[in-house]
Coordinates of all heavy atoms in Angstrom, one line a residue:
S182 N -14.8 -6.7 -11.6 CA -15.2 -7.3 -10.3 C -14.3 -8.3 -9.8 O -14.2 -8.6 -8.7 CB -16.6 -7.9 -10.5 OG -16.6 -8.9 -11.6
A183 N -13.4 -8.9 -10.7 CA -12.5 -9.9 -10.3 C -11.4 -10.2 -11.4 O -11.7 -9.9 -12.6 CB -13.1 -11.3 -10.0
P184 N -10.2 -10.5 -11.1 CA -9.2 -10.7 -12.1 C -9.7 -11.8 -13.1 O -10.2 -12.9 -12.8 CB -7.9 -11.2 -11.3 CG -8.2 -10.7 -10.0 CD -9.7 -10.7 -9.7
A185 N -9.3 -11.6 -14.4 CA -9.7 -12.6 -15.4 C -8.8 -13.8 -15.3 O -7.6 -13.6 -15.0 CB -9.6 -11.9 -16.8
P186 N -9.3 -15.0 -15.5 CA -8.5 -16.2 -15.5 C -7.4 -16.1 -16.5 O -7.6 -15.7 -17.6 CB -9.5 -17.3 -15.9 CG -10.8 -16.8 -15.5 CD -10.8 -15.3 -15.8
G187 N -6.1 -16.4 -16.0 CA -5.0 -16.3 -16.9 C -4.3 -15.0 -17.0 O -3.2 -14.9 -17.6
A188 N -4.9 -13.9 -16.4 CA -4.3 -12.7 -16.5 C -3.0 -12.7 -15.7 O -2.9 -13.2 -14.6 CB -5.2 -11.6 -15.9
P189 N -1.8 -12.1 -16.2 CA -0.6 -12.1 -15.5 C -0.6 -11.3 -14.2 O -1.2 -10.3 -14.1 CB 0.4 -11.5 -16.5 CG -0.4 -10.7 -17.4 CD -1.8 -11.4 -17.5
F190 N 0.1 -12.0 -13.1 CA 0.1 -11.3 -11.9 C 1.4 -11.8 -11.2 O 2.1 -12.6 -11.7 CB -1.0 -11.5 -11.0 CG -1.1 -13.0 -10.5 CD1 -0.7 -13.4 -9.2 CD2 -1.7 -14.0 -11.3 CE1 -0.8 -14.7 -8.8 CE2 -1.8 -15.3 -10.9 CZ -1.3 -15.6 -9.6
V191 N 1.7 -11.1 -10.1 CA 2.9 -11.4 -9.3 C 2.4 -11.6 -7.8 O 1.5 -11.0 -7.4 CB 4.1 -10.4 -9.3 CG1 4.7 -10.3 -10.8 CG2 3.5 -9.0 -8.9
R192 N 3.2 -12.5 -7.1 CA 2.9 -12.7 -5.7 C 4.0 -11.8 -4.9 O 5.2 -11.9 -5.3 CB 3.0 -14.2 -5.3 CG 1.9 -15.0 -5.8 CD 1.8 -16.3 -5.2 NE 0.6 -17.0 -5.6 CZ 0.6 -18.0 -6.5 NH1 1.7 -18.3 -7.1 NH2 -0.5 -18.6 -6.8
A193 N 3.6 -11.1 -3.9 CA 4.5 -10.2 -3.3 C 4.6 -10.4 -1.8 O 3.5 -10.7 -1.1 CB 4.1 -8.8 -3.6
W194 N 5.7 -10.3 -1.2 CA 6.0 -10.2 0.3 C 6.6 -8.8 0.5 O 7.7 -8.6 0.0 CB 6.8 -11.3 0.7 CG 6.2 -12.7 0.7 CD1 5.8 -13.5 1.7 CD2 6.1 -13.6 -0.5 NE1 5.3 -14.7 1.3 CE2 5.5 -14.8 0.0 CE3 6.5 -13.4 -1.8 CZ2 5.3 -15.8 -0.9 CZ3 6.2 -14.4 -2.7 CH2 5.6 -15.6 -2.3
L195 N 6.1 -8.0 1.4 CA 6.7 -6.7 1.6 C 6.7 -6.5 3.1 O 5.7 -6.7 3.9 CB 5.8 -5.6 1.0 CG 6.4 -4.2 1.0 CD1 6.0 -3.4 -0.3 CD2 6.1 -3.4 2.2
R196 N 7.9 -6.1 3.6 CA 8.1 -5.8 5.0 C 8.7 -4.4 5.1 O 9.8 -4.1 4.5 CB 9.0 -6.8 5.7 CG 9.1 -6.6 7.2 CD 10.2 -7.6 7.8 NE 11.5 -7.2 7.3 CZ 12.7 -7.8 7.5 NH1 12.6 -9.1 8.1 NH2 13.8 -7.4 7.2
R197 N 8.1 -3.5 5.8 CA 8.6 -2.1 5.9 C 9.8 -2.1 6.9 O 9.7 -2.8 7.9 CB 7.5 -1.2 6.4 CG 6.5 -0.9 5.3 CD 5.3 -0.2 5.8 NE 4.5 0.4 4.7 CZ 3.3 0.8 4.9 NH1 2.6 0.6 6.0 NH2 2.6 1.4 3.8
P198 N 10.8 -1.3 6.6 CA 10.9 -0.4 5.5 C 11.7 -1.1 4.3 O 12.9 -1.5 4.6 CB 11.6 0.9 6.0 CG 12.5 0.4 7.1 CD 11.7 -0.9 7.6
G199 N 11.3 -1.1 3.2 CA 12.1 -1.3 2.0 C 12.4 -2.8 1.7 O 13.2 -3.0 0.8
A200 N 11.8 -3.8 2.3 CA 12.1 -5.2 1.9 C 10.9 -5.7 1.1 O 9.8 -5.7 1.5 CB 12.3 -6.0 3.2
L201 N 11.3 -6.3 -0.1 CA 10.3 -6.7 -1.1 C 10.7 -7.9 -1.8 O 11.9 -8.0 -2.2 CB 10.0 -5.6 -2.1 CG 9.1 -6.0 -3.3 CD1 7.6 -6.2 -2.7 CD2 9.0 -4.9 -4.3
R202 N 9.9 -8.9 -1.9 CA 10.1 -10.1 -2.7 C 8.9 -10.3 -3.7 O 7.8 -10.2 -3.2 CB 10.3 -11.4 -1.8 CG 10.5 -12.7 -2.5 CD 10.4 -13.9 -1.5 NE 10.7 -15.1 -2.2 CZ 11.8 -15.8 -2.3 NH1 12.9 -15.2 -1.8 NH2 11.9 -16.9 -3.0
L203 N 9.2 -10.7 -4.9 CA 8.2 -10.9 -5.9 C 8.5 -12.2 -6.6 O 9.6 -12.6 -6.9 CB 8.2 -9.8 -6.9 CG 7.9 -8.4 -6.6 CD1 8.0 -7.4 -7.7 CD2 6.4 -8.4 -6.0
E204 N 7.4 -13.0 -6.7 CA 7.5 -14.3 -7.4 C 6.4 -14.3 -8.5 O 5.4 -13.8 -8.3 CB 7.3 -15.5 -6.5 CG 8.4 -15.6 -5.4 CD 8.1 -16.9 -4.5 OE1 7.1 -17.5 -4.7 OE2 9.0 -17.2 -3.7
S205 N 6.7 -15.2 -9.5 CA 5.7 -15.5 -10.6 C 4.6 -16.5 -9.9 O 5.0 -17.1 -8.8 CB 6.3 -16.0 -11.8 OG 6.8 -17.3 -11.5
P206 N 3.5 -16.7 -10.6 CA 2.6 -17.7 -10.1 C 3.2 -19.1 -10.0 O 2.8 -19.9 -9.2 CB 1.4 -17.7 -11.1 CG 1.5 -16.3 -11.7 CD 3.0 -15.9 -11.7
E207 N 4.2 -19.3 -10.8 CA 4.9 -20.7 -10.8 C 6.0 -20.8 -9.7 O 6.6 -21.8 -9.5 CB 5.6 -20.9 -12.1 CG 4.6 -21.1 -13.3 CD 4.0 -19.7 -13.7 OE1 4.8 -18.7 -13.6 OE2 2.9 -19.7 -14.2
G208 N 6.2 -19.7 -8.9 CA 7.2 -19.7 -7.9 C 8.6 -19.2 -8.3 O 9.5 -19.3 -7.5
L209 N 8.7 -18.7 -9.4 CA 10.0 -18.2 -9.9 C 10.3 -16.8 -9.3 O 9.4 -15.9 -9.3 CB 10.0 -18.0 -11.4 CG 11.3 -17.4 -12.1 CD1 12.5 -18.3 -11.8 CD2 11.1 -17.1 -13.5
V210 N 11.4 -16.6 -8.6 CA 11.8 -15.3 -8.0 C 12.0 -14.3 -9.1 O 13.0 -14.4 -9.9 CB 12.9 -15.4 -7.0 CG1 13.2 -14.1 -6.4 CG2 12.6 -16.4 -5.9
L211 N 11.3 -13.2 -9.1 CA 11.4 -12.1 -10.1 C 12.2 -11.0 -9.5 O 12.9 -10.3 -10.3 CB 10.0 -11.6 -10.5 CG 9.1 -12.7 -11.1 CD1 7.7 -12.0 -11.4 CD2 9.6 -13.3 -12.4
H212 N 12.1 -10.8 -8.2 CA 12.8 -9.7 -7.6 C 13.0 -10.0 -6.1 O 12.0 -10.5 -5.5 CB 12.1 -8.3 -7.8 CG 12.6 -7.2 -7.0 ND1 13.6 -6.5 -7.5 CD2 12.2 -6.7 -5.8 CE1 13.9 -5.5 -6.6 NE2 13.1 -5.6 -5.6
S213 N 14.1 -9.7 -5.5 CA 14.3 -9.8 -4.1 C 15.3 -8.7 -3.6 O 16.2 -8.5 -4.2 CB 14.9 -11.2 -3.8 OG 15.0 -11.4 -2.4
T214 N 14.8 -8.0 -2.6 CA 15.6 -6.9 -2.1 C 17.0 -7.5 -1.6 O 17.0 -8.5 -0.9 CB 14.9 -6.3 -0.9 OG1 13.6 -5.9 -1.3 CG2 15.6 -5.0 -0.4
T215 N 18.0 -6.7 -1.9 CA 19.3 -7.0 -1.4 C 19.8 -5.8 -0.5 O 19.4 -4.7 -0.6 CB 20.3 -7.3 -2.5 OG1 20.4 -6.1 -3.3 CG2 19.9 -8.5 -3.4
G216 N 20.7 -6.1 0.5 CA 21.4 -5.1 1.2 C 20.5 -4.5 2.3 O 20.7 -3.4 2.8
I217 N 19.5 -5.3 2.8 CA 18.6 -4.7 3.8 C 19.3 -4.6 5.1 O 18.8 -3.8 6.0 CB 17.3 -5.5 4.0 CG1 17.6 -6.9 4.3 CG2 16.4 -5.5 2.6 CD1 16.3 -7.8 4.6
N218 N 20.4 -5.3 5.3 CA 21.1 -5.2 6.6 C 22.5 -4.4 6.4 O 23.3 -4.5 7.3 CB 21.4 -6.6 7.2 CG 20.1 -7.2 7.6 OD1 19.3 -6.6 8.2 ND2 20.0 -8.6 7.4
D219 N 22.7 -3.7 5.2 CA 23.9 -3.1 5.0 C 24.1 -1.9 5.9 O 23.1 -1.3 6.4 CB 24.0 -2.6 3.5 CG 24.2 -3.8 2.5 OD1 24.5 -4.9 3.1 OD2 24.1 -3.5 1.4
S220 N 25.3 -1.5 6.1 CA 25.5 -0.2 6.9 C 25.0 1.0 6.3 O 25.1 1.1 5.0 CB 27.1 -0.1 7.2 OG 27.3 1.2 7.8
R221 N 24.5 2.0 7.0 CA 24.0 3.1 6.5 C 25.0 4.3 6.7 O 24.6 5.5 6.6 CB 22.6 3.5 7.1 CG 21.6 2.5 7.1 CD 21.0 2.4 5.7 NE 20.1 3.5 5.5 CZ 19.4 3.7 4.3 NH1 19.7 3.0 3.2 NH2 18.6 4.7 4.2
A222 N 26.2 4.0 7.1 CA 27.2 5.0 7.5 C 27.4 6.1 6.4 O 27.3 7.3 6.6 CB 28.5 4.4 7.9
D223 N 27.7 5.6 5.1 CA 27.9 6.6 4.0 C 26.8 7.4 3.8 O 26.9 8.6 3.5 CB 28.2 5.8 2.8 CG 29.6 5.1 2.9 OD1 30.4 5.4 3.7 OD2 29.8 4.2 2.0
F224 N 25.5 6.9 4.0 CA 24.3 7.7 3.8 C 24.3 8.9 4.7 O 23.9 10.0 4.4 CB 23.1 6.8 3.9 CG 21.8 7.4 3.7 CD1 21.4 7.9 2.5 CD2 20.9 7.7 4.8 CE1 20.1 8.4 2.3 CE2 19.7 8.2 4.6 CZ 19.3 8.6 3.3
Y225 N 24.6 8.6 6.0 CA 24.5 9.7 7.0 C 25.7 10.6 7.0 O 25.6 11.8 7.3 CB 24.4 9.1 8.4 CG 23.1 8.4 8.6 CD1 23.0 7.0 8.8 CD2 21.8 9.1 8.4 CE1 21.7 6.3 9.0 CE2 20.6 8.4 8.6 CZ 20.6 7.0 8.8 OH 19.4 6.4 8.9
V226 N 26.9 10.2 6.5 CA 28.1 11.0 6.5 C 27.9 12.2 5.5 O 28.2 13.3 5.7 CB 29.3 10.2 6.1 CG1 30.5 11.1 5.7 CG2 29.8 9.4 7.2
R227 N 27.3 11.9 4.4 CA 27.0 12.9 3.4 C 25.6 13.4 3.5 O 25.0 13.7 2.5 CB 27.3 12.4 1.9 CG 26.4 11.2 1.5 CD 26.7 10.9 0.1 NE 25.8 9.8 -0.4 CZ 26.0 8.5 -0.4 NH1 27.1 8.1 0.1 NH2 25.1 7.7 -0.9

Side-chain angles (χ1 to χ4, degrees):
S182 58
F190 70 96
V191 293
R192 292 193 174 98
W194 291 257
L195 189 148
R196 188 188 69 190
R197 285 169 165 163
L201 175 66
R202 177 188 180 93
L203 295 176
E204 291 184 0
S205 69
E207 297 75 29
L209 175 67
V210 178
L211 304 174
H212 173 82
S213 184
T214 307
T215 59
I217 59 176
N218 292 321
D219 289 351
S220 170
R221 306 284 285 175
D223 291 343
F224 180 70
Y225 293 118
V226 166
R227 61 177 188 269

